Amino acid sequence: MLDLNDYITSIPDFPEKGVIFRDITPLWGDPKAYAEATRRITHFAKMRDVNVVVGPESRGFLVGAPVANELGTGIVLARKPGKLPRETVSEKYTLEYGEAALEMHKDAIKPGEKVLITDDLLATGGTIAAAIKLVESLGGIVAGLAFMIELKDLNGREKLEGYDILSLMSY
């Protein structure tokens, strides 16, 4: 089986001293590795009877779109404020350096739909917690959360207790 860790580049002292940046772009640049990561997340989603995939801006789009395609479902985009043209719902969340928000179209999730939320990285969990609130506010059921990479030292999983989580790689 393909070891996806072989496609992650660790860059010390980026973006600042003491930080090790995990660069996922080599994985996306390799068709076999990208397909394998997509296959694993798709399998996780199939086991949960997912009806729709949600991807937060912007790397969540790169994870979620191929999974939705493989599942034969749609993808719902959770975007930064002001990027969606129709009526939206919004959820604010805190960052290390301030506040941010995500929005989804008000009609994007139908009540009772089983949703997989995907992103490239689980760090502090704030973005995904906001996406969960958006999905649930529209009546969706969060069937699972899937990530390419989890940064365990940042304890994001703690904010997501009670949800099924797949992390393909952990650091």
Side-chain angles (χ1 to χ4, degrees):
M1 179 166 13
L2 201 59
D3 185 352
L4 298 177
N5 289 289
D6 292 342
Y7 299 89
I8 304 301
T9 303
S10 297
I11 302 169
D13 298 322
F14 183 83
E16 59 188 53
K17 191 161 182 60
V19 173
I20 299 173
F21 184 82
R22 307 296 180 179
D23 183 10
I24 197 167
T25 58
L27 184 144
W28 283 326
D30 184 280
K32 288 181 184 172
Y34 196 5
E36 178 62 19
T38 299
R39 186 196 65 74
R40 292 180 194 179
I41 294 172
T42 300
H43 175 75
F44 177 78
K46 284 181 179 177
M47 302 284 67
R48 285 149 187 81
D49 296 319
V50 166
N51 307 107
V52 68
V53 176
V54 169
E57 189 157 335
S58 64
R59 289 178 172 221
F61 306 166
L62 295 171
V63 179
V67 171
N69 184 60
E70 289 295 316
L71 290 171
T73 68
I75 183 167
V76 172
L77 307 181
R79 301 223 45 203
K80 294 175 184 173
K83 300 288 186 179
L84 295 170
R86 299 189 323 274
E87 188 176 358
T88 62
V89 291
S90 182
E91 185 64 40
K92 291 181 181 176
Y93 60 100
T94 54
L95 301 165
E96 312 79 65
Y97 50 84
E99 196 173 78
L102 285 178
E103 293 183 344
M104 288 175 30
H105 280 126
K106 195 172 186 175
D107 61 355
I109 303 290
K110 291 161 188 55
E113 281 190 311
K114 292 182 181 176
V115 178
L116 175 72
I117 302 174
T118 63
D119 209 349
D120 68 321
L121 183 70
L122 172 56
T124 63
T127 302
I128 298 305
I132 290 169
K133 288 179 183 176
L134 286 172
V135 167
E136 292 177 345
S137 76
L138 295 173
I141 300 162
V142 177
L145 310 170
F147 306 94
M148 297 269 190
I149 296 173
E150 179 176 354
L151 300 178
K152 289 192 173 255
D153 289 348
L154 297 180
N155 302 314
R157 195 174 275 257
E158 291 176 8
K159 282 187 182 165
L160 310 174
E161 280 188 43
Y163 296 95
D164 288 340
I165 300 173
L166 171 69
S167 297
L168 299 181
M169 296 164 278
S170 297
Y171 296 97

